Amino acid sequence: MFTGIYCRYNGYFVMRRISIFGATGSVGQNTVSIIKRNPSAFDVHAVTGALNIELLAQTAIGLNAKVAVTSESNLLDHLKECLKGTGISAKSGRHALMEVAADPVDVSMSAVVGFAGLELSLEMARHGQTLALANKESLVCGGALLRETCDRAGTKLFPVDSEHSAIFQALNGEKLSDVERIILTASGGPFLHSSFAEMADVTPIQAADHPNWSMGKRISIDSASMFNKAMEVIETKELFNIPSDKIEVIIHPQSIIHSMVGYKDGSIIAQMGPADMCGAIGYALYWPNRTDAGVERLDFATLSKLEFCAVDDSRFPAISIAHSAMKQGGIAGAVFNAAKEQSLDLFLENKIKFLDMADMVAKTVQATATFGNCEASSMDKISKADKWSREFVLNLVEMSE
Ligand code: NAD
Ligand code: MG
C-alpha cells in the first residue's frame, strides 16, 4: 500500500521516483537542495526548464537524472552539448514536456510558472501517484478539472504553496465540517507602508524586492500587488473545496505564521516557521514523514513581536477582484489569471504602471460575461478563456494610448 512519498513499509524505507518540472526555478532549485540532502531517498527521472540551459544540465547531472527537457526547441543543441558523455537524454519542446509528464513516477513536482503549468499538471495528475503542486495557476484556472483528474487517477494532490501547506497541516486529523474559517496570512510585500501616490510610480525592480521571501520574479511582483494573495484565495477555495466567504486574509509582516484554520469551537490552529519554502516543499516530498529540509529553527526569545493588520482594499484591490471572479465561477478564474499575467508582462515591459495592473484585471473579469462564461470543464475551454482575456487586456491598453 502506498502510504506516502518516502514510505516506511514494514520498517524499510522505499526510494521514490520523482520528476521535477520547473527544476531551474526558485521552487525547483529548493526541491533540488532537499533531494541532495538525502539522495538515496529519491530516484530522479526527469528535470525540466526553459532558457537557463547550463543550470538545467548542471541540475540533471547533479541529481543523476535520466532525462532533461527544455521547453525551448531552439536550445536543444545547447542542452545536448552540455550533457555530452553523461548518458542523460536531452529533449525539447512542449510535446516533449507533455510526453515526460506522462512517464510513470511516484512524485511529480509541478513548479513551472504561469498558465503553461496547467496542462502539464493535468498530465502529471493522470500518470503520477502524487502531485506536489507549486503551480497555483493550475488551481486558479482549472481547479475542478484538476481535482477531478486526480480523483479519477487516484493521484494524491499536495500543496507546495506555504500557506496551503500550512492549512493542510492545520487540518490534519480534523473534520472539514468543523472548519469555520481559513485565515491566509500575507506579508504585505514591499509597499505595505507606501501611499497610493508612492505606489503609482514604482519600478519592476522595486516591486520584485520582497521583504521576507526569496522567490521567482513574477510571484514576487504579484506579492507586491497582492495578486499573489488573491490567487491564493482562489487556490484555497479550489484545493480544499471551501466556500469563498469562509476565507479571510490578514497582513502579518513577519511571515512567521504561514496560515491558520479556525474551528467552530473558536480554536485556531496555526502553522509557524521561518519564511523558507524548503519547509513546505520538504513536507510535500516526505509526507507522511517529516524531514530536516535545512530550515532554520525559530527562536522565540529573539522574536520580538508578531503583528497583524487588515488589508487596505483601496491600495490592494486584487483580493476583492478575486472574490468577484469566484462569484462568477466557471472560466472566470482562468480569465482572472490570464489578465493578471498579461498585465504583469506589460508592467515588466514598462508599458503600464504598477497600479494599472489591478485596473486591467478588474475590467477584464467584469467583461467575462460578454465572452460567455461557461464551466472550466476542459483544457480547450480554459485555453480559449485564457486567450480571450489576454487579448482583452491588450485591447484595453491600445484603446488608452
Ligand atoms: P521561477 O520563475 O523561479 O521558475 C519557473 C520555472 O518554470 C523555471 O524552471 C522555468 O524555466 C520554467 N518555465 C518558465 N516558463 C516555462 C514554460 N513556458 N514552459 C515550461 N517551463 C517553463 O518561478 P517560481 O518562483 O519557482 O514559481 C514556480 C511556481 O510556484 C509558480 O506557479 C509560483 O506561483 C509557485 N510558487 C512559488 C513560490 C516561490 O517561493 N518561488 C512559492 C509558492 C508558490
Ligand atoms: Mg504562498
Side-chain angles (χ1 to χ4, degrees):
M1 189 183 71
F2 178 67
T3 54
I5 294 153
Y6 185 37
C7 294
R8 192 191 250 288
Y9 187 58
N10 287 342
Y12 296 101
F13 286 109
V14 180
M15 183 184 264
R16 310 309 306 169
R17 193 165 190 242
I18 186 169
S19 287
I20 310 165
F21 287 79
T24 55
S26 167
V27 170
Q29 287 294 298
N30 278 324
T31 305
V32 170
S33 76
I34 294 170
I35 293 175
K36 282 188 173 168
R37 291 177 73 86
N38 191 3
S40 62
F42 297 94
D43 171 18
V44 179
H45 174 60
V47 291
T48 85
L51 298 171
N52 193 340
I53 299 300
E54 276 89 7
L55 182 58
L56 177 60
Q58 185 195 317
T59 302
I61 295 165
L63 294 176
N64 202 16
K66 311 288 175 298
V67 50
V69 191
T70 166
S71 56
E72 308 304 299
S73 297
N74 57 327
L75 298 178
L76 180 61
D77 288 345
H78 187 187
L79 182 61
K80 279 185 175 162
E81 188 59 35
C82 293
L83 292 174
K84 212 169 168 181
T86 63
I88 300 168
S89 136
K91 297 185 178 189
S92 74
R94 187 73 187 167
H95 186 69
L97 282 173
M98 289 295 284
E99 254 179 20
V100 171
D103 286 346
V105 287
D106 301 306
V107 189
S108 302
M109 168 58 78
S110 174
V112 163
V113 65
F115 181 71
L118 168 63
E119 198 182 17
L120 292 168
S121 296
L122 287 168
E123 196 64 6
M124 293 175 220
R126 277 183 210 110
H127 301 278
Q129 295 188 17
T130 294
L131 176 59
L133 187 69
N135 179 264
K136 60 189 76 181
E137 295 83 353
S138 295
L139 283 165
V140 172
C141 302
L145 183 61
L146 183 65
R147 272 206 327 266
E148 201 182 286
T149 307
C150 286
D151 287 349
R152 221 177 301 124
T155 298
K156 289 184 171 69
L157 180 57
F158 278 92
V160 168
D161 216 342
S162 60
E163 294 77 1
H164 305 80
S165 175
I167 296 163
F168 188 90
Q169 294 179 56
L171 284 169
N172 204 356
E174 305 287 345
K175 292 195 203 98
L176 261 187
S177 55
D178 286 341
V179 172
E180 195 172 61
R181 56 187 178 143
I182 286 187
I183 306 157
L184 291 172
T185 53
S187 69
F191 309 133
L192 176 59
H193 303 295
S194 306
S195 67
F196 198 77
E198 284 165 342
M199 285 165 72
D201 286 321
V202 298
T203 64
I205 292 172
Q206 289 169 317
D209 187 17
H210 199 281
N212 303 347
W213 297 90
S214 157
M215 307 183 285
K217 185 170 165 191
R218 297 186 73 91
I219 185 176
S220 297
I221 299 178
D222 283 349
S223 295
S225 60
M226 289 257 185
F227 268 109
N228 182 48
K229 207 50 56 183
M231 295 277 287
E232 290 180 354
V233 171
I234 306 179
E235 192 184 358
T236 304
K237 174 182 175 285
E238 297 297 337
L239 187 62
F240 300 105
N241 208 5
I242 213 124
S244 55
D245 60 3
K246 286 191 170 188
I247 308 168
E248 301 170 14
V249 177
I250 188 87
I251 304 276
H252 166 44
Q254 289 79 17
S255 299
I256 297 291
I257 296 179
H258 297 150
S259 279
M260 308 177 248
V261 179
Y263 290 93
K264 64 184 182 193
D265 60 356
S267 286
I268 305 266
I269 301 184
Q271 190 266 342
M272 304 168 104
D276 183 341
M277 279 303 293
C278 285
I281 298 169
Y283 186 80
L285 294 189
Y286 277 83
W287 185 92
N289 300 305
R290 287 188 182 261
T291 189
D292 180 355
V295 174
E296 258 182 53
R297 296 335 188 220
L298 283 183
D299 177 358
F300 283 90
T302 59
L303 262 184
S304 57
K305 55 186 171 188
L306 296 181
E307 294 168 302
F308 304 93
C309 66
V311 178
D312 175 358
D313 219 33
S314 63
R315 284 183 304 135
F316 299 105
I319 294 166
S320 57
I321 304 170
H323 275 283
S324 60
M326 286 187 290
K327 206 162 162 195
Q328 291 191 46
I331 45 89
V335 167
F336 174 87
N337 176 67
K340 189 240 7 151
E341 287 192 16
Q342 186 63 68
S343 308
L344 177 55
D345 284 342
L346 291 165
F347 173 62
L348 287 168
E349 292 161 16
N350 291 314
K351 291 194 174 138
I352 62 172
K353 301 268 195 163
F354 182 75
L355 293 172
D356 293 338
M357 291 193 285
D359 225 37
M360 303 277 160
V361 181
K363 285 184 178 140
T364 314
V365 168
Q366 223 169 40
T368 307
T370 64
F371 169 70
N373 198 348
C374 61
E375 285 307 306
S377 52
S378 68
M379 194 58 219
D380 186 46
K381 284 180 181 161
I382 299 170
S383 294
K384 279 190 183 132
D386 176 272
K387 190 163 177 279
W388 172 84
S389 176
R390 287 171 202 266
E391 279 165 9
F392 192 90
V393 171
L394 291 173
N395 281 337
L396 281 176
V397 176
E398 219 169 88
M399 275 168 5
S400 68
E401 277 170 0

